[in-house]
Amino acid sequence: MFDAETDGDEIRMTLRANALVHGECARCLDPVTREETVDTEWTVKERDLDDPDFELPLDEKGHLDVDEWLSQEFMFQIPTVLLCSPDCAGLCPQCGKKKAECTCQPAEPTEAPVDTRLAILKSLLN
């Protein structure tokens, strides 16, 4: 939905849209589909249209390109990392199955090798 209302020398524009986002869970790679909503509002004065740094997309005739505006808003508002659920544990590093389905024994924690050039910094922790 796009709506524009004039109020004196201002135009108040509202843009609302829903879209289904398809992708993969960033942790377990399962397919993820969820609905995302864009809801944004801009107030524009006529003098703003002459500003070279005007932030809304205009077409070659100087008219607002609503499709481009919608596209930009979806890019900014839709998360770049999709998860199938907030508590997704991801994949087992040993067998590659989902951690919830994995029967591998937990690996014993091992200390990563220390870069000898940085070993002096460990003394600061004591």
Side-chain angles (χ1 to χ4, degrees), residues 58-74:
L58 302 176
D59 64 15
E60 61 278 347
K61 295 179 182 176
H63 299 120
L64 177 64
D65 187 341
V66 177
D67 291 336
E68 180 62 24
W69 184 24
L70 179 62
S71 175
Q72 289 177 5
E73 290 299 321
F74 268 115

Side-chain angles (χ1 to χ4, degrees), residues 16 19 23 44 53 68 106 115 121-122:
R16 289 186 184 93
V44 179
D53 294 327
E68 180 62 24
D115 185 333
L121 296 176
K122 189 169 185 173

Side-chain angles (χ1 to χ4, degrees), residues 2-126:
F2 173 74
D3 186 40
E5 297 176 6
T6 58
D7 183 15
D9 67 338
E10 296 180 342
I11 299 173
R12 183 171 296 118
M13 298 180 294
T14 306
L15 182 65
R16 289 186 184 93
N18 294 332
L20 284 178
V21 177
H22 302 274
E24 293 178 335
C25 176
R27 293 182 186 155
C28 70
L29 305 178
D30 276 355
V32 175
T33 301
R34 64 188 220 203
E35 187 172 9
E36 292 290 337
T37 302
V38 164
D39 189 358
T40 187
E41 185 175 295
W42 279 79
T43 301
V44 179
K45 294 184 178 186
E46 188 173 335
R47 68 175 180 262
D48 294 336
L49 299 175
D50 296 328
D51 184 352
D53 294 327
F54 184 63
E55 295 182 11
L56 291 177
L58 302 176
D59 64 15
E60 61 278 347
K61 295 179 182 176
H63 299 120
L64 177 64
D65 187 341
V66 177
D67 291 336
E68 180 62 24
W69 184 24
L70 179 62
S71 175
Q72 289 177 5
E73 290 299 321
F74 268 115
M75 285 192 307
F76 290 128
Q77 293 186 21
I78 292 177
T80 55
V81 176
L82 296 174
L83 297 177
C84 59
S85 67
D87 60 340
C88 176
L91 301 175
C92 172
Q94 295 173 24
C95 68
K97 293 181 184 176
K98 286 177 136 184
K99 284 187 178 178
E101 302 167 358
C102 171
T103 57
C104 297
Q105 294 294 323
E108 293 185 25
T110 59
E111 286 193 27
V114 176
D115 185 333
T116 55
R117 297 171 293 172
L118 302 175
I120 191 77
L121 296 176
K122 189 169 185 173
S123 65
L124 297 175
L125 296 175
N126 297 333

